[in-house]
Amino acid sequence: MSPIEHISDTARWVAIYRAMETERPDAIFRDPYARRLAGERGEEIVASMPQGRSTAWAMIVRTAVMDEIIRERIAAGADLVVNLAAGLDARPWRLDLPPSLRWVDVDFPAMIEYKTAQLRGETPRCRYEAIAADLTDVAKRDALFAQLGAEGRRALVISEGLLIYLEAEQVRALARSLHAVPTFRWWLADIANQRLLRMLQKQWATMLRQANAPMKFGVDDLEGFFEPLGWRVAQFRSTLLEAHRLRREMRFGWLVRFMIGISPRARKEEARRMSGCVLFERS
């Protein structure tokens, strides 16, 4: 039986990767809460996954790049961060954030309860709030978005690790719901293309299917998919390129870069767009 029993358990898996990076002497970020939040279940999940530790680099890069983009948007005037399917993200505690910033985590009630218990006694760096909500309940979700939007002026929405578990139509509906709130200025997400989605489905399909958490969403034409929904691509930070910059490449990453370098232009672009962090801006 899979140690991932619910989609929320994937947060423990990612927290182990943050702990692994934190414990390196040359860490590119530090999350002193990650191992506590992951717990023994997190270790069990990673140990049971095919290539569980060797694939850590991609999520470590994702964390570091999103940290950078979040800081940039706050410096650009974001006064509210809405973190959807927040999981065990500890950014309100580990990042140097303005005390005036309002940060709202949204997730399933059980995840909010667990995270609150694990971080009890710790002081966040900003005005922190946790809201228990099922984001698949569209009516309640949209009402929450409207409420939060009315309470901020320039909001950054984060959906780290969320979209890949949704159907394409659910992603469209979420994009429309976010765009319906005028103060939701930016949206930060991680995106895989169809080729990478198929690779991940093949690698982890059995484990994630048993937990009713299959990976479903990948898109090759970011602009074509999201721009009609009101979101233009302001930044695309390729996982492959950022891994090289941050010195966190996969094993034999140099060889992968060499092979891509001698490939036709279309193949190079496909590789660059295989996955990345995307900052959308209202259009």
Side-chain angles (χ1 to χ4, degrees):
M1 184 176 177
S2 170
I4 300 180
E5 298 174 359
H6 186 269
I7 192 169
S8 293
D9 289 335
T10 60
R12 294 177 181 264
W13 160 26
V14 179
I16 285 293
Y17 290 164
R18 294 200 306 274
M20 288 167 56
E21 179 62 27
T22 298
E23 291 157 8
R24 288 179 57 138
D26 61 343
I28 55 177
F29 62 80
R30 297 200 183 275
D31 183 349
Y33 312 100
R35 193 163 291 281
R36 182 199 317 178
L37 289 166
E40 293 183 3
R41 281 278 303 287
E43 286 282 11
E44 182 185 355
I45 289 167
V46 171
S48 66
M49 297 187 74
Q51 302 176 39
R53 289 188 173 270
S54 64
T55 53
W57 68 274
M59 292 190 193
I60 288 167
V61 169
R62 182 181 79 183
T63 299
V65 171
M66 285 197 166
D67 283 358
E68 292 176 1
I69 296 174
I70 290 166
R71 291 190 189 101
E72 288 173 4
R73 290 307 93 202
I74 292 170
D79 62 342
L80 169 65
V81 174
V82 180
N83 193 7
L84 304 179
L88 299 175
D89 178 22
R91 287 187 177 99
W93 291 265
R94 68 176 182 83
L95 292 185
D96 185 13
L97 301 173
S100 61
L101 177 73
R102 185 182 180 204
W103 186 296
V104 180
D105 278 352
V106 183
D107 211 327
F108 290 115
M111 177 57 70
I112 293 293
E113 182 181 351
Y114 172 78
K115 181 171 167 180
T116 299
Q118 291 299 312
L119 293 176
R120 187 166 287 121
E122 303 290 351
T123 303
R125 308 286 187 91
C126 58
R127 296 164 51 212
Y128 175 76
E129 181 181 351
I131 296 177
D134 182 350
L135 292 169
T136 63
D137 186 328
V138 176
K140 290 183 179 178
R141 179 190 75 193
D142 290 358
L144 175 61
F145 288 174
Q147 174 192 332
L148 292 172
E151 297 168 354
R153 292 175 301 167
R154 292 161 64 89
L156 167 65
V157 178
I158 304 171
S159 58
E160 183 178 13
L162 171 62
L163 300 190
I164 199 168
Y165 295 104
L166 302 180
E167 300 283 358
E169 192 47 50
Q170 291 177 303
V171 176
R172 289 190 183 94
L174 176 61
R176 293 188 188 103
S177 294
L178 293 173
H179 193 265
V181 182
T183 55
F184 285 0
R185 176 73 178 274
W186 302 285
W187 177 18
L188 177 58
D190 54 304
I191 303 284
N193 70 4
Q194 287 285 333
R195 183 179 181 190
L196 179 59
L197 177 65
R198 290 191 294 269
M199 291 168 60
L200 295 175
Q201 287 172 332
K202 182 177 180 181
Q203 184 174 351
W204 291 326
T206 302
M207 174 174 288
L208 293 174
R209 194 183 303 116
Q210 289 174 354
N212 195 28
M215 292 179 171
K216 303 173 184 176
F217 181 71
V219 61
D220 293 331
D221 182 4
L222 274 175
E223 291 79 6
F225 187 94
F226 286 98
E227 285 189 3
L229 303 170
W231 295 100
R232 75 172 187 86
V233 177
Q235 290 186 41
F236 179 83
R237 306 273 289 272
S238 166
T239 302
L240 283 174
L241 299 182
E242 293 297 304
H244 179 55
R245 176 179 70 88
L246 294 167
R247 300 185 180 183
R248 289 297 180 272
E249 290 183 283
M250 71 182 86
R251 191 180 182 191
F252 299 120
W254 64 271
L255 181 58
V256 173
R257 282 189 290 107
F258 173 76
M259 296 304 296
I260 292 171
I262 61 174
S263 299
R265 180 179 297 179
R267 178 69 183 87
K268 289 179 184 177
E269 183 62 12
E270 182 191 31
R272 188 181 76 85
R273 288 263 183 156
M274 187 168 285
S275 71
C277 297
V278 187
L279 179 68
F280 296 104
E281 188 169 33
R282 296 179 66 86
S283 58

